[in-house]
Amino acid sequence: MSIKILVPIKRVVDYNVKIRVKADHTGVELDNVKMSMNPFDEIAVEEAVRLKEAGVAVEVVAVTCGTAAAQDVLRSALALGADRAILVEVDVAQLETLQPLAVAKLLKAVAQQEQPGLVICGKQAIDDDASQTGQMLAALQGWPQATFASKVVIADGKATVTREVDGGLETIAVTLPAVISTDLRLNEPRYASLPNIMKAKKKPFSVLTAASLGIDITPRLTTRSVNEPPKRSAGIRVGDVAQLVEKLKNEAKVI
Amino acid sequence: MSILVIAEHDNTTLKAGTRNTLTAASKLGGPVDILIAGYNCQAVAQAAASLAGVNTVKVADAAHLADGLAENLAALVVSIATGYSHILAPASTYGKNFLPRVAALLDVAQISEISGVVDANTFVRPIYAGNALATVESKDTVKVITVRTTSFDAAGEGGTAAIEAIATPADLGCTTLVGRELSVSERPELGAAKIVVSGGRGLGSSENYQKVLAPLADKLGAAMGASRAAVDAGFAPNDYQVGQTGKIVAPQLYIAVGISGAIQHLAGMKESKVIVAINKDADAPIFQVADYGLVGDLFELVPQLTAAL
């Protein structure tokens, strides 16, 4: 079998950046902050590219919903081995309030155009930590899902997926088409080589808009404020184990 | 308007997080029903009926609900959603898996992993690995919510709710369970343990992880946890991982051994009441959140600590 894989990705604040809450408490400071592809989405791209290299997939299409600035993460996906990229463009104000349900609806519209046999996405984005979009897309398409994947085998029109669950591991088989969301240990994404970065610049790249797809992306949630969490102050250094035990018993009273 | 809590269970016992989810639901101001979806799960229904603050226990008992698979579970919840103002589940891998499907099918937003209830429409939730807290208001007619269980107390016993069987939609047949490899442990559940002993890269190997930490955990009756680095290196199983993308814990005592304290790890444990860090690197970020820091060789200090308890 040979299927097309659609890989939705998201541009987020780089995972190494220590974020700051805006002084007016409307959100998190994004000006002059390094942005990158969401780490779980890199794993998704890598998995799709490996499935293509293994002959399971014929084409890997990366898609993101964002402003023109999101072209950089699509180029990264192309440099990692995706064949084609689609930007579903929204303006800056729309991006600020773009929520998982709206993204899932946009992706559904793209999926209906592209007819992929499989969607692989990250299990969550490290900015809003919502962990919703893949499941919502699967529901809107009436497809099965396999979230938090640590192993994927595609054969006979099915995906057999090992999932990282609270108690350990669970393996399920889902009929295709389906949505798979990636967990940390599914694979280790490759680094894009310079020749592949150059090649990525010539790969097909198309732009759609929410309006052209006929999707209402009005937000359902309103952010009232964003605040810093209560700070945890550093405690004391103890000199030895005896002092530690004494403090835990008599001061903290936790043992 | 009524509120629906979807219980997490294994057809035999109710998972602890259900109780915390119930407490979050009780802050919304309305009668709370609990849904038990499973197979041969009467014992779970009985346990749910005895929880304080439950109005009715709704039981959907069918073979195709046995494994808690997302597609059938979501279809069931959608089939009974009418009349509920709020639908809640724990933000465990169970709840996170199926509840977004419910929200999408109802054409409403999901509010993920709430840590506070401001009012019936407004909730606090951590974003950016807990480095910011967003207060969000929902305009949807039904609020679909996952609950960060460590942010709410566990509901107690004392209820005498009625148990009512409900109809189950037909099997969608698109997903089958192949198998499970669940960690078997005599220790308390990591997410609900009063004490957690957690190990990082500093332990060096899975043998050391067990040899150094297990006796301490045994002595304290603690659950065992690990940093992402330790899990990636194969020192501990995946379900031990504490952090932004692993488990969120908030025990009375968290002992971090050989863990440097990346922000993604801190996101999973910084709500702990008391944090102890043992690390040879005096500059490790873990010491910035630790109540008690002990700098030195963990291979000497941890056995000393075990012996001193």
Side-chain angles (χ1 to χ4, degrees), chain A residues 89-102:
Chain A
E89 194 166 358
V90 295
D91 64 34
V92 175
Q94 287 172 327
L95 182 64
E96 275 182 13
T97 57
L98 193 62
Q99 293 166 1
L101 181 64

Side-chain angles (χ1 to χ4, degrees), chain A residues 105 123 127-128 130 132 143 145 147 166-167 169 171 173 185 220 222 224-225 227 232 235-236 238 251, chain B residues 71 97 101 107 112 125 128 133 135 137 139 176 178-179 181 183 241 245 247 270 272 290-293:
Chain A
K105 288 179 178 180
K123 77 163 180 176
D127 50 3
D128 62 11
Q132 300 175 12
W143 291 354
Q145 66 182 50
T147 54
D166 286 338
L169 297 171
T171 302
R185 282 166 283 273
R220 304 300 186 83
T222 309
R224 290 285 169 226
S225 66
N227 294 287
R232 191 173 182 114
I236 58 162
V238 291
E251 191 174 87
Chain B
E71 298 80 3
N97 186 41
R101 276 189 93 97
D107 192 27
S112 289
R125 59 176 303 265
Y128 288 93
L133 297 175
T135 302
E137 183 178 347
K139 297 183 183 70
T176 47
V178 177
E181 292 170 56
S183 298
Q241 185 178 322
T245 64
K247 291 209 172 62
K270 68 181 178 187
S272 304
D291 299 282
Y292 303 109

Side-chain angles (χ1 to χ4, degrees), chain B residues 33-202:
Chain B
D33 292 345
I34 285 198
L35 172 65
I36 312 291
Y39 187 44
N40 293 332
C41 52
Q42 278 304 317
V44 182
Q46 296 291 346
S50 74
L51 293 178
V54 179
N55 184 43
T56 309
V57 178
K58 309 253 179 188
V59 184
D61 201 301
H64 65 272
L65 295 174
D67 302 315
L69 299 174
E71 298 80 3
N72 285 328
L73 186 51
L76 168 67
V77 175
V78 169
S79 77
I80 62 164
T82 307
Y84 289 110
S85 60
H86 298 75
I87 299 175
L88 300 91
S92 56
T93 54
Y94 173 80
K96 286 175 174 177
N97 186 41
F98 79 89
L99 205 62
R101 276 189 93 97
V102 173
L105 293 171
L106 295 173
D107 192 27
V108 299
Q110 176 179 290
I111 307 132
S112 289
E113 204 148 2
I114 64 163
S115 59
V117 174
V118 178
D119 59 43
N121 303 318
T122 314
F123 310 92
V124 179
R125 59 176 303 265
I127 55 175
Y128 288 93
N131 289 300
L133 297 175
T135 302
V136 296
E137 183 178 347
S138 168
K139 297 183 183 70
D140 286 320
T141 49
V142 189
K143 279 77 175 168
V144 172
I145 297 168
T146 60
V147 175
R148 175 168 286 203
T149 54
T150 54
S151 299
F152 298 89
D153 294 334
E157 299 286 325
T160 49
I163 298 177
E164 180 189 311
I166 60 167
T168 304
D171 184 6
L172 293 167
C174 52
T175 306
T176 47
L177 180 72
V178 177
R180 287 193 172 123
E181 292 170 56
L182 301 183
S183 298
V184 181
S185 172
E186 299 296 308
R187 297 203 170 84
E189 196 185 314
L190 178 55
K194 288 197 166 55
I195 302 179
V196 173
V197 172
S198 205
R201 204 199 310 260

Side-chain angles (χ1 to χ4, degrees), chain A residues 12-13 15-19 21 27-30 39-40 43 99-101 104-105 123-140 142-148 158 160-176 183-185 219-230 232-242 244-245 247-249 251-255, chain B residues 8 67 69-71 91-94 96-98 100-105 107-113 122 125-140 173-184 195 220 228 231-232 238-239 241 244-247 252-253 255 263-264 269-276 278 282-284 287-295 300-302 304-305 308-309:
Chain A
V12 298
V13 172
Y15 78 102
N16 282 311
V17 171
K18 186 159 173 37
I19 59 107
V21 170
V28 163
E29 198 60 69
L30 297 178
F40 290 98
I43 296 171
Q99 293 166 1
L101 181 64
K105 288 179 178 180
K123 77 163 180 176
Q124 75 189 70
I126 60 167
D127 50 3
D128 62 11
D129 286 331
S131 193
Q132 300 175 12
T133 305
Q135 297 92 311
M136 285 183 157
L137 173 60
L140 294 176
W143 291 354
Q145 66 182 50
T147 54
F148 324 142
K158 280 186 180 175
T160 302
V161 178
T162 302
R163 309 176 54 234
E164 296 203 1
V165 296
D166 286 338
L169 297 171
E170 170 181 294
T171 302
I172 59 172
V174 296
T175 54
L176 298 182
D183 216 315
L184 286 170
R185 282 166 283 273
R220 304 300 186 83
L221 303 178
T222 309
T223 299
R224 290 285 169 226
S225 66
V226 174
N227 294 287
E228 289 202 17
R232 191 173 182 114
S233 50
I236 58 162
R237 299 287 167 99
V238 291
D240 56 28
V241 164
L244 175 62
V245 172
K247 292 282 185 194
L248 290 176
K249 278 191 173 145
E251 191 174 87
K253 297 187 168 63
V254 287
I255 57 171
Chain B
E8 180 172 358
D67 302 315
L69 299 174
E71 298 80 3
S92 56
T93 54
Y94 173 80
K96 286 175 174 177
N97 186 41
F98 79 89
R101 276 189 93 97
V102 173
L105 293 171
D107 192 27
V108 299
Q110 176 179 290
I111 307 132
S112 289
E113 204 148 2
T122 314
R125 59 176 303 265
I127 55 175
Y128 288 93
N131 289 300
L133 297 175
T135 302
V136 296
E137 183 178 347
S138 168
K139 297 183 183 70
D140 286 320
C174 52
T175 306
T176 47
L177 180 72
V178 177
R180 287 193 172 123
E181 292 170 56
L182 301 183
S183 298
V184 181
I195 302 179
L220 291 167
R228 178 188 168 185
V231 175
D232 283 355
N238 66 281
D239 51 300
Q241 185 178 322
Q244 179 185 14
T245 64
K247 291 209 172 62
Q252 293 290 303
L253 174 60
I255 303 181
I263 54 171
Q264 290 82 3
M269 47 64 80
K270 68 181 178 187
E271 302 300 320
S272 304
K273 182 162 174 274
V274 174
I275 297 173
V276 170
I278 300 176
D283 298 322
F287 288 118
Q288 290 164 20
V289 300
D291 299 282
Y292 303 109
L294 187 52
V295 179
E300 289 172 16
L301 294 173
V302 176
Q304 281 179 27
L305 177 59
L309 290 169

Side-chain angles (χ1 to χ4, degrees), chain A residues 180-197:
Chain A
I180 294 174
S181 82
T182 60
D183 216 315
L184 286 170
R185 282 166 283 273
L186 179 58
N187 61 50
E188 208 165 309
R190 68 195 69 186
Y191 289 97
S193 67
L194 190 59
N196 284 341
I197 292 170

